[in-house]
Amino acid sequence: MTAPGSAPVFAPGSTAVRRDVAHGRVWSAMPYTVLADDGDVLTLTARPGTESLAPASWTVAAHAGDDALRLDCVHDLASGRWELDHWTWRDTVVLSRFTAGVPFSVHRFLTPDGRPLRWYVNFERPYRRTAIGIDTLDLFLDLVITPDLSSYSWKDEDEYAQARRLGVVDEATHRQLDRARELALAQLRDRSGPFAADPDAWTLPPEGPLPTLPATALSTPAGKWDEGGSADG
């Protein structure tokens, strides 16, 4: 639902599309089922079989299982030239939490029968709400955390370094990401924010129909990102 003059708030069970956008174009688009939304924190889920769109260079790397090929994605993003390909979410259920103004989202991966696999912090531009979901941009860097929150490791630092060299991540965004790293680690250490004990937020939801991308999923994103990662428009 959308109140006049305000950003949309999505009802539980509805579809919200998370899009990555850059150069005024859609870089990826994936539909999720909404679990909860208070206008600030948006909690979503996706199951195996969900159909999405992703850069063709990324799907090639994923099918090949070759992380080195993923550097091609950074070149495509920097150049502003890419093609989209179909991608089917597979193997895991993901519960995702996006918080307004925060340059990362937190995800919990589970097996389809509910066994915890890992936590994942995805560093990205703070989201902007749209009529169909949220727009952001993945900034490549990830934090992978064990299911019991006892240890962690950094992932895709080579892609992040390449993104900095090619100008995808400018100095202002890099400083923002440094602060975001500190915030994520502090929340993990203190068991606060998304890592606080909140079983209702992170338990396996009942199965339902898989969400699908709407016809407007590739519509031109409104506004543009400034250097600090916020959006105008």
Side-chain angles (χ1 to χ4, degrees):
M1 61 182 176
T2 306
S6 68
V9 174
F10 299 99
S14 64
T15 296
V17 179
R18 177 250 164 83
R19 304 192 306 179
D20 291 287
V21 300
H23 301 287
R25 295 178 55 204
V26 175
W27 170 252
S28 75
M30 181 166 170
Y32 290 79
T33 299
V34 176
L35 296 179
D37 184 15
D38 64 6
D40 178 42
V41 178
L42 176 62
T43 306
L44 309 174
T45 187
R47 291 181 174 274
T50 301
E51 297 290 338
S52 65
L53 293 170
S57 51
W58 184 89
T59 63
V60 168
H63 284 304
D66 188 344
D67 286 343
L69 289 176
R70 292 178 60 159
L71 292 177
D72 292 341
C73 299
V74 186
H75 285 281
D76 290 350
L77 184 57
S79 70
R81 296 188 296 273
W82 63 82
E83 299 294 331
L84 291 176
D85 191 11
H86 291 277
W87 176 257
T88 303
W89 188 261
R90 57 193 186 187
D91 302 330
T92 62
V93 175
V94 62
L95 307 176
S96 301
R97 176 169 167 162
F98 300 84
T99 302
V102 176
F104 59 80
S105 54
V106 177
H107 311 263
R108 193 182 192 196
F109 289 86
L110 310 164
T111 62
D113 61 359
R115 180 170 57 87
L117 295 172
R118 61 191 174 276
W119 297 79
Y120 209 88
V121 179
N122 192 72
F123 293 87
E124 58 202 21
R125 295 195 184 279
Y127 77 69
R128 176 181 61 205
R129 287 177 181 254
T130 71
I132 62 170
I134 55 173
D135 283 355
T136 180
L137 179 63
D138 188 316
L139 296 175
F140 299 101
L141 185 65
D142 303 297
L143 181 65
V144 183
I145 307 167
T146 55
D148 63 359
L149 304 177
S150 63
S151 62
Y152 64 85
S153 60
W154 293 99
K155 182 177 181 292
D156 297 334
E157 289 184 291
D158 55 342
E159 291 179 53
Y160 182 71
Q162 182 81 333
R164 289 204 68 199
R165 285 192 295 269
L166 295 176
V168 174
V169 176
D170 59 23
E171 187 60 30
T173 303
H174 175 64
R175 290 194 300 269
Q176 184 184 58
L177 262 291
D178 275 347
R179 294 191 295 270
R181 286 199 204 210
E182 294 173 2
L183 174 60
L185 290 176
Q187 290 181 337
L188 176 60
R189 181 185 63 246
D190 300 338
R191 301 295 190 267
S192 61
F195 305 112
D198 186 2
D200 290 337
W202 297 111
T203 53
L204 192 70
E207 286 197 40
L210 294 177
T212 58
L213 287 172
T216 55
L218 295 182
S219 61
T220 302
K224 62 180 180 180
W225 302 104
D226 65 23
E227 285 190 336
S230 61
D232 299 321

